[in-house]
Amino acid sequence: MLAPLSWLKEYVDLTLPVDALAERLTLAGLAVDAIHHVGDWWDPETITVGEVVAVLPHPDADRLVLVDVAFGGDARQRVVTGAPNLYQYRGVTPLPVLKVAFARAGALLIDAYSDQRPRPKKKLKASRIRGVESSGMVCSERELGLSEEHEGIILLPEDAPVGMPLRDYLGDRVFEFDLTPDMARDLNMIGIAREISALTGGALHLPADVLPAAGDDNVADYVAVRIDEPELCHRYTGIVIHGVTVGPSPKWMQERLTKAGMRPINNVVDITNYVMLEYGQPLHAFDYDTLVRRAQQAGDRTPTIIVRRAAAGEKFITLDDIERTLDDSMLMIADTLGSVAIAGVMGGQESEVSDATRTVLLESATFEGINNRRTGQKLKLYSAASYRFARGVPATLNDIAGRRAADLMRQYAGGRIAPGIADAYPTPQRRVTVYATASDTRRILGMTVTLEQMADALRRLDFEVRQVADPAPDAPAAATFALHRAAGEPLLECVVPWHRLDVTMPADLIEEVARVIGYEDVPITLMADMLPTQHRNEIVETEEKIRDILIGSGLQDTVNYALTSPENHARLALAFAPLDGVEDRAPFVELANPIAVERRVLRRSLLVSALESLQYNLRYADRLAMFEIGRVYLPERGEGPLPHEDRRLSLVLTGPRQPLSFYNSNAENNTTGALDFYDLKGIVETLLARLGFKADAIEYRGAPATGAFGPRCAEVVVEGEVAGLIGEVHPQVRAAFDLPAVRINAAELRLAVLQRPHWRHDPMPPISSYPPVVEDMAFIVDESVTVRMVESAISAAGGALLTAIELFDLYRGEPLPVGAKSLAFHLTYQSQEANLRDSDVAKVRERIIRRVEREVSGKLRG
């Protein structure tokens, strides 16, 4: 929302400097995002208000004229110009009053003919144009940076003071507001003026609310209004203006619209836009004579405006010359022949105002916001009008804004207003009363505010306020919702002004009081109550610890979409199940109104999101190591209508093991290979160890061809419970996601299994003061024997003296028999009580050899 201060000054006295006013408004909730300075770069010495005193023919050019300009005192200067709005006065005497923006040589102006964007500035120099000296310029809007208009020069109002620096006369400050939906009341100049008045005490000056109609006729002689959908159209008013002449709007109105971000079109359309920006009421002007012709085609004498729903599949051509297909949820403005506008969104091509329009039907209405917003979204039509309707337009405003626009059309389009207003009002705006107490205000704001202070603040915002003992018997529940009141405490009864649709409950009143007092003046207070007992959130603690561990391991934390598609889930199982029927076996939580087809269900697996992320990011990087902590949604395990939300962890590794660097600058020198299953397993082992799980509580079970994985896959079991799967993504799944032909290693683990209560954390083992004894042992075992089976046998035999086991070699081949392998381990022995002797170690060694032979048929390798 752009608000020029020169426009705001018409409605409120500005008592604060510009920067202080912007800060006060921002602190009160009207965030001023920027202050645009119009004309601050205009040199006050060389760019001034001038008056054209003569327009003479150029002696050597038919399309140019010589213009004598007075710019202060007796000073005059002759310049050469081809501006058409001055050329028409060539040789005319006496001249009408022509005030212009005049720049003398040395002034800095926009280069109007440059192709650069934005256009650069350049210094104006004296020159000879077709033999005539020209040491200045009468400026267009483009040269001054006001707009792209360059057809003619700026003609200022007749009362513009000659010689005044143009910066002082035409310069301005424009506030750019970023308003939240609850501040929709301020999407207009008068709304902002009301806020400034309440916050600064400046006097408010509202336009006179009059309808200067003329004639013995009545609007009922020309038009009737019928509302068939009162829940979607709360009020509809129409005013008829005869004898208008469509042409340019006044210069001051064009300037205000331009500064507010709207393009001037013609006086009738500009007035509807002007009043919308002034009051916040969207308006629409119909060519009344077109409506009469349509009514006569339908067999009627005068038109009847009908507010109804569109027919399903109905076709309608809007102002932008596009035929649109409608559905029966959309509200239309129609007559007895058919539709003439999409209510609150856009008018129709047939009934639009043109240069030939002589009679206007002016529409001012209130349409239901949600329906209006959905209509705009379906048709992809977004306008300033629908933006306001979607946030709420009070029905009381309809006739006020209609009268204002009609009066402006009378003044600036030469129209005659037919007496009366055609008004259908099936859903009157209700009078809202809300109650507040001093104790409730103190409870919410943390500061003491008396009822008198509250009443003063609210009266400045146009609330009607009085003290009462009890709420009215018929007061709605919202009027006292969550109201805190001490026994016998008086109430403040507040009648909400009609233009405040956002105030419905006591908390809203307290917010208004705080805004007027100033949030910056709310003191800092400490809690008076005792702090409640603190409870640990162990799942959150676990998630944060996992993040720290994995980031420290070199992985990147990612946040992926929880929304995906059944087709991508099917691709995840492509190697093991057909695409058909996946949704039947695995139900999804489906969105009723998805933003895109590929985002229409909630995911059942984090791997789907991980592979979607890889599909996008592998276009820009060849090495990715990332993880995600998120939820999957399983409707079949939910209680009631809600799905079960299972917290999970996914990990993905792909690309070269070492990233390219100065010491490893190309793939040929990168001899470390690609990230594989064992890199991923090492990260999972590190994660589990740092979470506090002992090695003997963790098991990796072979699980070939499971889910999305190929034969390189393992099931992770923690303390006897399956935590998830780790493995290499199957090539068919990789191809289905259009991923490059590289190894992609992934894991998906359940967080519930990884969570350890704080009371289960193991204390640190004592540190022995005696030296360890380290020896290596290698066992020949059958291929079916796993490392874990051998480690379990060694650990059971080693007892307390065996403090560490580490596999350091795996060998297959000669001279070992076929189907056998050699596993070599570092074994560490250490006592807490004394130095170990050779005989102590020998006893443990013999026990280990016998235990391995008995349990896994392993033989000590010589």
PDB file of all heavy atoms in Angstrom, residues 333-346:
ATOM      1  N   ILE A 333     -22.482 -10.594 -11.396  1.00  0.00           N
ATOM      2  CA  ILE A 333     -23.405  -9.472 -11.564  1.00  0.00           C
ATOM      3  C   ILE A 333     -24.043  -9.663 -12.933  1.00  0.00           C
ATOM      4  O   ILE A 333     -23.345  -9.738 -13.944  1.00  0.00           O
ATOM      5  CB  ILE A 333     -22.686  -8.116 -11.476  1.00  0.00           C
ATOM      6  CG1 ILE A 333     -21.824  -8.038 -10.209  1.00  0.00           C
ATOM      7  CG2 ILE A 333     -23.685  -6.985 -11.522  1.00  0.00           C
ATOM      8  CD1 ILE A 333     -22.577  -8.219  -8.922  1.00  0.00           C
ATOM      9  N   ALA A 334     -25.346  -9.749 -12.956  1.00  0.00           N
ATOM     10  CA  ALA A 334     -26.044 -10.056 -14.200  1.00  0.00           C
ATOM     11  C   ALA A 334     -27.240  -9.127 -14.370  1.00  0.00           C
ATOM     12  O   ALA A 334     -27.609  -8.372 -13.456  1.00  0.00           O
ATOM     13  CB  ALA A 334     -26.503 -11.520 -14.196  1.00  0.00           C
ATOM     14  N   ASP A 335     -27.808  -9.163 -15.574  1.00  0.00           N
ATOM     15  CA  ASP A 335     -29.111  -8.540 -15.815  1.00  0.00           C
ATOM     16  C   ASP A 335     -30.029  -9.620 -16.367  1.00  0.00           C
ATOM     17  O   ASP A 335     -29.688 -10.813 -16.341  1.00  0.00           O
ATOM     18  CB  ASP A 335     -28.974  -7.323 -16.740  1.00  0.00           C
ATOM     19  CG  ASP A 335     -28.340  -7.677 -18.083  1.00  0.00           C
ATOM     20  OD1 ASP A 335     -28.250  -8.884 -18.403  1.00  0.00           O
ATOM     21  OD2 ASP A 335     -27.933  -6.752 -18.814  1.00  0.00           O
ATOM     22  N   THR A 336     -31.163  -9.232 -16.862  1.00  0.00           N
ATOM     23  CA  THR A 336     -32.125 -10.234 -17.333  1.00  0.00           C
ATOM     24  C   THR A 336     -31.654 -10.936 -18.606  1.00  0.00           C
ATOM     25  O   THR A 336     -32.213 -11.967 -18.986  1.00  0.00           O
ATOM     26  CB  THR A 336     -33.490  -9.573 -17.571  1.00  0.00           C
ATOM     27  OG1 THR A 336     -33.309  -8.415 -18.398  1.00  0.00           O
ATOM     28  CG2 THR A 336     -34.121  -9.167 -16.250  1.00  0.00           C
ATOM     29  N   LEU A 337     -30.618 -10.402 -19.257  1.00  0.00           N
ATOM     30  CA  LEU A 337     -30.110 -11.032 -20.476  1.00  0.00           C
ATOM     31  C   LEU A 337     -28.934 -11.965 -20.194  1.00  0.00           C
ATOM     32  O   LEU A 337     -28.703 -12.919 -20.929  1.00  0.00           O
ATOM     33  CB  LEU A 337     -29.682  -9.960 -21.481  1.00  0.00           C
ATOM     34  CG  LEU A 337     -29.416 -10.436 -22.927  1.00  0.00           C
ATOM     35  CD1 LEU A 337     -30.685 -10.993 -23.554  1.00  0.00           C
ATOM     36  CD2 LEU A 337     -28.858  -9.287 -23.763  1.00  0.00           C
ATOM     37  N   GLY A 338     -28.191 -11.713 -19.134  1.00  0.00           N
ATOM     38  CA  GLY A 338     -27.022 -12.535 -18.826  1.00  0.00           C
ATOM     39  C   GLY A 338     -26.042 -11.802 -17.939  1.00  0.00           C
ATOM     40  O   GLY A 338     -26.334 -10.721 -17.395  1.00  0.00           O
ATOM     41  N   SER A 339     -24.842 -12.357 -17.790  1.00  0.00           N
ATOM     42  CA  SER A 339     -23.837 -11.799 -16.883  1.00  0.00           C
ATOM     43  C   SER A 339     -23.176 -10.563 -17.484  1.00  0.00           C
ATOM     44  O   SER A 339     -22.945 -10.487 -18.699  1.00  0.00           O
ATOM     45  CB  SER A 339     -22.766 -12.853 -16.585  1.00  0.00           C
ATOM     46  OG  SER A 339     -23.323 -13.963 -15.915  1.00  0.00           O
ATOM     47  N   VAL A 340     -22.838  -9.609 -16.592  1.00  0.00           N
ATOM     48  CA  VAL A 340     -22.148  -8.390 -17.031  1.00  0.00           C
ATOM     49  C   VAL A 340     -20.845  -8.157 -16.268  1.00  0.00           C
ATOM     50  O   VAL A 340     -20.051  -7.300 -16.649  1.00  0.00           O
ATOM     51  CB  VAL A 340     -23.060  -7.152 -16.901  1.00  0.00           C
ATOM     52  CG1 VAL A 340     -24.236  -7.248 -17.860  1.00  0.00           C
ATOM     53  CG2 VAL A 340     -23.545  -6.961 -15.473  1.00  0.00           C
ATOM     54  N   ALA A 341     -20.607  -8.923 -15.172  1.00  0.00           N
ATOM     55  CA  ALA A 341     -19.361  -8.756 -14.407  1.00  0.00           C
ATOM     56  C   ALA A 341     -19.201  -9.949 -13.473  1.00  0.00           C
ATOM     57  O   ALA A 341     -20.183 -10.598 -13.080  1.00  0.00           O
ATOM     58  CB  ALA A 341     -19.372  -7.459 -13.601  1.00  0.00           C
ATOM     59  N   ILE A 342     -17.935 -10.237 -13.137  1.00  0.00           N
ATOM     60  CA  ILE A 342     -17.639 -11.207 -12.084  1.00  0.00           C
ATOM     61  C   ILE A 342     -17.568 -10.408 -10.791  1.00  0.00           C
ATOM     62  O   ILE A 342     -16.713  -9.531 -10.638  1.00  0.00           O
ATOM     63  CB  ILE A 342     -16.318 -11.936 -12.353  1.00  0.00           C
ATOM     64  CG1 ILE A 342     -16.359 -12.635 -13.716  1.00  0.00           C
ATOM     65  CG2 ILE A 342     -16.034 -12.949 -11.255  1.00  0.00           C
ATOM     66  CD1 ILE A 342     -15.037 -13.241 -14.130  1.00  0.00           C
ATOM     67  N   ALA A 343     -18.459 -10.699  -9.867  1.00  0.00           N
ATOM     68  CA  ALA A 343     -18.643  -9.859  -8.686  1.00  0.00           C
ATOM     69  C   ALA A 343     -17.346  -9.651  -7.915  1.00  0.00           C
ATOM     70  O   ALA A 343     -16.704 -10.606  -7.485  1.00  0.00           O
ATOM     71  CB  ALA A 343     -19.696 -10.484  -7.766  1.00  0.00           C
ATOM     72  N   GLY A 344     -16.945  -8.388  -7.765  1.00  0.00           N
ATOM     73  CA  GLY A 344     -15.787  -8.038  -6.962  1.00  0.00           C
ATOM     74  C   GLY A 344     -14.459  -8.413  -7.547  1.00  0.00           C
ATOM     75  O   GLY A 344     -13.425  -8.233  -6.903  1.00  0.00           O
ATOM     76  N   VAL A 345     -14.438  -8.935  -8.788  1.00  0.00           N
ATOM     77  CA  VAL A 345     -13.182  -9.384  -9.395  1.00  0.00           C
ATOM     78  C   VAL A 345     -12.870  -8.587 -10.655  1.00  0.00           C
ATOM     79  O   VAL A 345     -11.853  -7.907 -10.742  1.00  0.00           O
ATOM     80  CB  VAL A 345     -13.237 -10.893  -9.709  1.00  0.00           C
ATOM     81  CG1 VAL A 345     -11.940 -11.345 -10.382  1.00  0.00           C
ATOM     82  CG2 VAL A 345     -13.459 -11.686  -8.429  1.00  0.00           C
ATOM     83  N   MET A 346     -13.751  -8.654 -11.666  1.00  0.00           N
ATOM     84  CA  MET A 346     -13.502  -7.926 -12.906  1.00  0.00           C
ATOM     85  C   MET A 346     -14.810  -7.764 -13.674  1.00  0.00           C
ATOM     86  O   MET A 346     -15.672  -8.644 -13.658  1.00  0.00           O
ATOM     87  CB  MET A 346     -12.466  -8.647 -13.772  1.00  0.00           C
ATOM     88  CG  MET A 346     -12.081  -7.882 -15.034  1.00  0.00           C
ATOM     89  SD  MET A 346     -10.730  -8.649 -15.987  1.00  0.00           S
ATOM     90  CE  MET A 346      -9.315  -8.184 -14.978  1.00  0.00           C
TER      91      MET A 346
END
